[in-house]
Amino acid sequence: MLLIVLLVLVLTWIALQVQVAVAGLLNGESIWSKAEKQAVIDLYAYAETGSANHLAAFRRQVQIVADYRVARDALASAEPNYRAIEQVLVRTGALRESIPGGLFVLRHFARTPYIHNALESWRATDAGMDELQRLAVESQAAYATGAPSAVQRAAITRRILAINQHIAPLTDVFSHSIALGAAWLARVLFWAVTMAAALMIGIWLYFARRAMRELQGSESRYRTLLEGAQDAIAVVDAGSGRILEINQAAEHMIGGSRQQICGRPFVSLFPDGPPKLDGADAPNTHADVALAGGGERVRHVAISLSRNQWGERTVQLAIMRDMTERLRMEEDRRVAAEALANIAEGVLIADAEHRIISGNAAAEALTGYSTSELIGTPLDALRSQLNGAPLDTAPWQEVAYIGHWQGRVQSRRKDGRSYPERLSLSAIRASDGTPHRYVAVFDDISESEAYQRQLEHLAMHDPLTALLNRAAFEREAARSLGEMRIRGRMAAMLFIDLDGFKAVNDSYGHAFGDQLLQQVGQRVQSQIAANDRAGRIGGDEFTLLLCDLGTRDEALPVVRKLLLLLSEPFHVLEHEIFLSASIGISSFPDDGDDPATLIANADAAMYSVKADERNSYRVYTKVMQASTRTRLTLAGELRQAIARGEFHLVYQPSLDLRTRKLVAVEALLRWQHPERGEISPAEFIPLAESLGMVRAVGAWVINEACRQIRAWLDAGLPSLRVAVNISASHLRHPQFVEHLRATLRQHRCPSDALMIELTESAILHIGERSRRTLAALHELGVSVAVDDFGTGYSSLAYLKLPAIHTIKIDQSFVNGLPDDANDAAITRAILALAHSLGLEAIAEGIETEQQLAFLLAAGCLEGQGYLFARPLLPDAIAARLAESRTPPTSGAAPNAAMPG
């Protein structure tokens, strides 16, 4: 008997391995062929629609095909790595248990007729799949540059179908060969099993004769157990309730061996309570109960109990059928139905004739029809093409051919309103491959299309002013110039740059500046005709293309009107702001044949206005382009000036007007160009601001001034206050104070030896961050002077800030002294205001003795100007300081030591 058992086990094991191998072949064939076919479908859909979902789906299917190719080629190598191959196949979704058997067949039966044919067909599809991937890249590139034309899409789809016609027969040959190979293995298995069975029968008959007498006594017991062999069977003693016998199915279901289970109370198998086992009134019982299986697992079983006589013993025969999987499938169906009912998209299911047979709640909400009203209606009855024409048969043909179609249609609700709809059609095929049901998934895309239009508008327009952005302006201008070229007409390109906008932006903040730019854009927009184009191409730079001109001079009235409009006051947040504009003009075709050239030449003309007078216009000449090139060259050299050591400081002495002793200096920046010589700050400082370099230049000036202060102190010279000019944007930098503190510490420079100068227009209307910066400067001991006092806007609130220590009387008021009564009155008023607020006052630009006498009489104690000295180099300042080795007294020079 042991030999029979061993033979059965061996035979069972061999049969199982063959079955697993066959399953592995069929599973791999199914996954590979499905992936290859689906890849064609997904790429075709992507080529038609450009949907990223289809492209992603195509790439997933191609990856599966590629993984199988890698596994196939690795298996054909001399020493294949089975573990690596198995990991690759598991990643494709192949059943892990079936992989070894399938690999064994492909490895060791590769020369058999069917397997050999399958592998050859498989390899023949490689080139087609590679071509599909190249088509995917080509389609993606076409969609990346804009929607391809219908001709392009048709060409790509034809190539896809041509490739499919090549690889589809190869795929069918592969599948057919695999099926034949599996059948061959099955026949081998059948004959092997038959011969083994015959052998076992012979052996069994031999032993049966010997065991017949032993089996006769237990024949009734085993007959009872074998009656329901497919279900779990347990024989329970009706008296004690203990299990007497079970079959193998019961062992598997309960999770234990016969020796472990027999003798246990039957009721112990049911954690939620057992079915009724006894009672004359209930000889047979049926129930659905929970059965405690192996470990923590609980199975749901249908149990049938019947009373039987087992010899002289009354027993309950319990037949149990595992219902766990059926209940799970029913739950899955319930969840699927619930999901369908609650999905956000509308879903309609139609029969083979395209007539609706069911729908979900979203379909009712979208269409306005109830499901009962929709049943029997053709799917395309309420839908049309986007142009209003009825739907043609192409979508249905595509669904029938490749199983899926997706596109945009126009749909109509019950109340008659129409809306754009994204519609997806899929086919559910019957066993013979014909479409049995159709599933339509649709959604209202009105909002998404509106959002798309908004995105397209934002892509072409400046979000602040709603004018065209630079790229869109150049595209529209190129189209308009093409029309002018055909018609033989002229056009004028206007480049508009606002004068003084940066000062307003720095003083009032960017939010204020944005509102101002919006009003500027509205005024520019008001001056264009239907064929003209306006755009904002930079911060405060606007372009305007005037079309259909007979001569260039026809643009000048519009230019003058723009200058007048932009010089009128702007009202922003209860402030009245005055601006002006500089406008450069170039003409088509005289000054350029394309938008970029015309803009560049108009820009050059605008800079000519900026350099001369502003609030005016210039017509482009070729000389202006040379000036622009010079400015660009200078901009490049300015970026290298600090690194090359071309900057240096000179110092304008500031004297005690009573004793004419040196008490302070103002650091002035100079650029010594290696070829052009000394370049005026009036030329390169605005350039530094436009390049965003003004903070780096300011930091260099502070560092050099602190270094020079330390050098003078180390030389034993008297203490001297040094004033440096700082821009508003540099002051607003979050790290300004920290950098200043680090610089003072680096050079061991006393904080009261440094003064920060800010123009009145820069310090006016400072924000909260600037207020905190000034407060931090005050705590650090660095004082602040207001430069050009009286030339800005009429607000004095900032003078109350603790950091403000000094006001400087602008030289425009000093120049008219003492003869100009207005200048004299303003100067006296400034000095009186300074004395009343406890501030120091410094007069700038003193050039005559008469001016000096007036200022002394008016109470001004400190001043600077060419009457005393021009800006000096550090050695000259040191020489003056050396004349007196003791610092000026507080009585002689009240500004010599600033309070910290």
Side-chain angles (χ1 to χ4, degrees):
M1 291 303 296
L2 180 60
L3 179 60
I4 294 177
V5 172
L6 291 176
L7 286 174
V8 169
L9 291 176
V10 171
L11 181 61
T12 302
W13 182 86
I14 294 174
L16 178 62
Q17 293 304 311
V18 173
Q19 289 176 350
V20 169
V22 171
L25 287 175
L26 296 178
N27 178 244
E29 179 276 327
S30 174
I31 294 174
W32 177 83
S33 61
K34 179 181 178 182
E36 191 166 59
K37 294 175 182 178
Q38 189 61 40
V40 174
I41 295 171
D42 290 335
L43 182 57
Y44 188 95
Y46 174 68
E48 282 290 323
T49 65
S51 169
N53 292 336
H54 288 306
L55 180 58
F58 167 75
R59 287 176 173 164
R60 287 194 300 270
Q61 301 304 326
V62 166
Q63 184 59 48
I64 293 174
V65 175
D67 287 342
Y68 269 88
R69 185 195 297 186
V70 169
R72 179 200 69 199
D73 295 339
L75 191 64
S77 63
E79 295 182 4
N81 186 341
Y82 287 96
R83 181 179 298 275
I85 296 173
E86 181 177 352
Q87 291 176 350
V88 170
L89 294 179
V90 168
R91 190 167 62 232
T92 67
L95 296 176
R96 183 184 295 273
E97 295 79 7
S98 67
I99 291 174
L103 296 180
F104 178 87
V105 172
L106 292 177
R107 174 69 176 175
H108 298 284
F109 293 86
R111 295 298 180 183
T112 60
Y114 304 115
I115 302 301
H116 177 74
N117 292 342
L119 290 174
E120 289 299 315
S121 300
W122 186 356
R123 293 189 181 94
T125 64
D126 291 351
M129 292 307 298
D130 293 339
E131 181 63 19
L132 286 179
Q133 294 189 62
R134 287 191 288 273
L135 282 178
V137 174
E138 180 178 337
S139 300
Q140 187 178 10
Y143 277 105
T145 58
S149 66
V151 175
Q152 291 175 315
R153 293 196 304 271
I156 293 174
T157 54
R158 282 197 300 273
R159 291 169 64 188
I160 295 171
L161 294 177
I163 294 171
N164 185 53
Q165 289 176 355
H166 169 69
I167 65 176
L170 295 173
T171 303
D172 293 338
V173 170
F174 171 81
S175 300
H176 184 65
S177 298
I178 290 295
L180 292 176
W184 178 78
L185 288 174
R187 287 195 296 273
V188 171
L189 174 63
F190 170 76
W191 289 112
V193 170
T194 301
M195 289 186 289
L199 177 62
M200 285 189 295
I201 290 172
I203 296 173
W204 181 82
L205 289 174
Y206 171 76
F207 287 101
R209 293 188 184 95
R210 294 176 56 185
M212 186 63 68
R213 291 181 180 272
E214 299 174 5
L215 293 176
Q216 287 178 350
S218 57
E219 181 180 352
S220 176
R221 181 190 346 167
Y222 284 100
R223 187 180 299 113
T224 304
L225 290 173
L226 292 174
E227 283 178 356
Q230 293 183 351
D231 294 326
I233 301 174
V235 179
V236 182
D237 183 76
S240 65
R242 294 187 179 274
I243 300 173
L244 301 177
E245 188 59 88
I246 60 172
N247 66 351
Q248 291 184 355
E251 287 182 321
H252 176 73
M253 180 181 291
I254 298 171
S257 66
R258 179 178 285 102
Q259 290 77 11
Q260 293 172 329
I261 297 173
C262 290
R264 286 176 54 184
F266 186 61
V267 296
S268 66
L269 302 180
F270 305 99
D272 296 335
K276 189 174 182 180
L277 299 179
D278 54 359
D281 56 336
N284 295 287
T285 302
H286 302 274
D288 292 333
V289 295
L291 177 69
E296 300 296 326
R297 185 177 183 186
V298 175
R299 297 174 181 269
H300 295 278
V301 299
I303 184 169
S304 174
L305 297 174
S306 60
R307 191 182 301 275
N308 292 274
Q309 287 298 125
W310 198 21
E312 298 181 355
R313 178 180 292 180
T314 302
V315 298
Q316 289 279 0
L317 183 64
I319 301 176
M320 297 173 287
R321 178 166 295 174
D322 192 346
M323 306 296 291
T324 305
E325 187 63 22
R326 192 184 77 178
L327 292 175
R328 187 192 62 79
M329 293 175 62
E330 291 178 354
E331 177 64 14
D332 289 346
R333 285 195 293 269
R334 188 193 65 79
V335 171
E338 189 71 17
L340 179 64
N342 292 281
I343 194 173
E345 290 81 6
V347 179
L348 294 173
I349 300 176
D351 59 18
E353 284 73 36
H354 309 162
R355 296 189 177 276
I356 298 171
I357 59 176
S358 67
N360 66 349
E364 295 181 344
L366 286 169
T367 64
Y369 291 95
S370 65
T371 301
S372 60
E373 292 174 313
L374 291 171
I375 290 176
T377 304
L379 260 178
D380 49 4
L382 302 176
R383 292 168 176 82
S384 62
Q385 299 182 52
L386 295 177
N387 59 8
L391 287 180
D392 55 24
T393 59
W396 297 110
Q397 292 173 350
E398 185 172 332
V399 172
Y401 183 69
I402 63 175
H404 182 78
W405 178 87
Q406 181 173 310
R408 293 170 60 249
V409 298
Q410 199 71 16
S411 188
R412 188 176 70 255
R413 292 189 173 91
K414 184 177 181 179
D415 58 9
R417 291 181 300 159
S418 64
Y419 64 93
E421 180 181 88
R422 179 172 49 246
L423 176 63
S424 174
L425 297 174
S426 302
I428 301 174
R429 300 186 183 277
S431 57
D432 60 358
T434 60
H436 175 61
R437 293 286 187 268
Y438 293 96
V439 179
V441 181
F442 59 95
D443 192 17
D444 184 350
I445 57 173
S446 302
E447 292 185 3
S448 62
E449 288 196 343
Y451 181 66
Q452 181 64 30
R453 289 192 294 270
Q454 182 182 5
L455 289 179
E456 292 172 356
H457 182 272
L458 291 175
M460 293 184 60
H461 293 80
D462 170 42
L464 190 62
T465 62
L467 299 176
L468 294 172
N469 59 29
R470 186 182 192 106
F473 177 81
E474 290 188 0
R475 286 197 302 271
E476 292 294 312
R479 185 183 60 79
S480 297
L481 293 178
E483 294 178 0
M484 296 302 102
R485 186 181 297 107
I486 295 173
R487 296 171 54 192
R489 302 286 289 174
M490 296 187 67
M493 181 70 72
L494 277 56
F495 195 104
I496 307 168
D497 186 271
L498 301 180
D499 302 327
F501 174 76
K502 186 178 186 304
V504 174
N505 211 32
D506 289 344
S507 300
Y508 291 88
H510 293 290
F512 187 97
D514 288 348
Q515 294 194 35
L516 180 58
L517 287 174
Q518 288 175 346
Q519 294 189 28
V520 171
Q522 292 169 2
R523 295 188 185 185
V524 171
Q525 183 74 34
S526 68
Q527 296 305 303
I528 66 172
N531 294 331
D532 298 338
R533 298 290 181 268
R536 177 181 175 227
I537 64 172
D540 60 346
E541 296 175 338
F542 298 81
T543 49
L544 185 60
L545 180 67
L546 304 179
C547 298
D548 205 17
L549 304 179
T551 65
R552 180 168 57 189
D553 292 342
E554 292 181 16
L556 298 183
V558 177
V559 175
R560 297 188 186 101
K561 182 63 179 296
L562 280 170
L563 289 173
L564 181 62
L565 276 176
L566 296 176
S567 64
E568 294 178 357
F570 293 88
H571 298 277
V572 182
L573 299 178
E574 301 181 355
H575 292 276
E576 189 175 64
I577 303 298
F578 289 88
L579 291 176
S580 61
S582 298
I583 303 178
I585 308 169
S586 62
S587 62
F588 167 84
D590 297 339
D591 300 327
D593 197 52
D594 59 89
T597 303
L598 291 172
I599 291 173
N601 291 339
D603 185 22
M606 182 276 296
Y607 270 102
S608 176
V609 182
K610 288 280 190 184
D612 292 343
E613 54 182 316
R614 304 194 177 194
N615 194 26
S616 185
Y617 67 89
R618 289 285 187 279
V619 177
Y620 169 77
T621 62
K622 293 184 178 179
V623 176
M624 295 176 179
Q625 193 62 47
S627 175
T628 299
R629 286 195 293 268
T630 301
R631 182 172 59 86
L632 293 175
T633 301
L634 187 64
E637 293 172 341
L638 178 60
R639 297 182 186 275
Q640 304 296 327
I642 296 178
R644 293 173 180 171
E646 297 174 3
F647 284 159
H648 68 278
L649 295 181
V650 295
Y651 298 90
Q652 175 68 51
S654 185
L655 279 63
D656 183 325
L657 299 184
R658 296 168 297 179
T659 64
R660 299 201 181 188
K661 288 185 177 181
L662 180 64
V663 295
V665 293
E666 179 181 357
L668 303 174
L669 180 62
R670 296 291 183 265
W671 181 9
Q672 189 65 34
H673 193 278
E675 296 177 359
R676 300 178 57 188
E678 187 169 290
I679 300 177
S680 169
E683 183 175 358
F684 72 81
I685 291 298
L687 188 60
E689 291 179 347
S690 66
L691 294 174
M693 291 182 58
V694 68
R695 187 167 64 87
V697 172
W700 183 90
V701 170
I702 291 175
N703 184 77
E704 180 63 18
C706 291
R707 187 198 63 78
Q708 188 60 61
I709 291 172
R710 184 70 259 166
W712 285 331
L713 292 174
D714 290 345
L717 299 175
S719 177
L720 185 70
R721 186 190 72 237
V722 178
V724 294
N725 294 278
I726 295 300
S727 69
S729 61
H730 191 185
L731 179 74
R732 284 198 301 270
H733 191 271
Q735 300 299 319
F736 174 75
V737 175
E738 291 303 318
H739 290 165
L740 178 60
R741 180 182 287 109
T743 304
L744 291 171
R745 186 184 304 113
Q746 176 187 353
H747 296 290
R748 296 180 293 113
C749 177
S751 59
D752 59 356
L754 186 69
M755 175 181 283
I756 300 297
E757 286 194 9
L758 297 168
T759 63
E760 184 179 29
S761 60
I763 203 172
L764 190 65
H765 301 290
I766 58 176
E768 184 59 32
R769 175 182 293 174
S770 298
R771 291 181 184 274
R772 291 196 299 267
T773 299
L774 292 178
L777 289 176
H778 180 64
E779 294 177 1
L780 186 60
V782 176
S783 56
V784 176
V786 182
D787 199 9
D788 303 333
F789 184 79
T791 61
Y793 298 98
S794 55
S795 174
L796 303 177
Y798 63 88
L799 293 178
K800 299 184 295 181
L801 297 173
I804 305 299
H805 182 272
T806 302
I807 56 178
K808 301 185 73 171
I809 305 172
D810 189 69
Q811 63 178 351
S812 62
F813 303 131
V814 176
N815 287 340
L817 300 178
D819 299 326
D820 189 302
N822 291 329
D823 287 343
I826 292 173
T827 301
R828 289 192 184 96
I830 292 174
L831 289 169
L833 176 64
H835 294 156
S836 299
L837 295 175
L839 303 176
E840 301 293 343
I842 301 175
E844 295 181 299
I846 304 174
E847 297 183 354
T848 67
E849 292 290 345
Q850 292 80 7
Q851 293 169 347
L852 174 61
F854 178 89
L855 290 168
L856 281 170
C860 183
L861 305 181
E862 186 178 341
Q864 61 189 59
Y866 289 172
L867 175 63
F868 310 118
R870 291 181 177 275
L872 302 175
L873 292 173
D875 292 342
I877 296 295
R880 290 206 174 195
L881 288 173
E883 296 175 1
S884 174
R885 288 290 176 176
T886 58
T889 63
S890 58
N895 291 325
M898 307 301 294

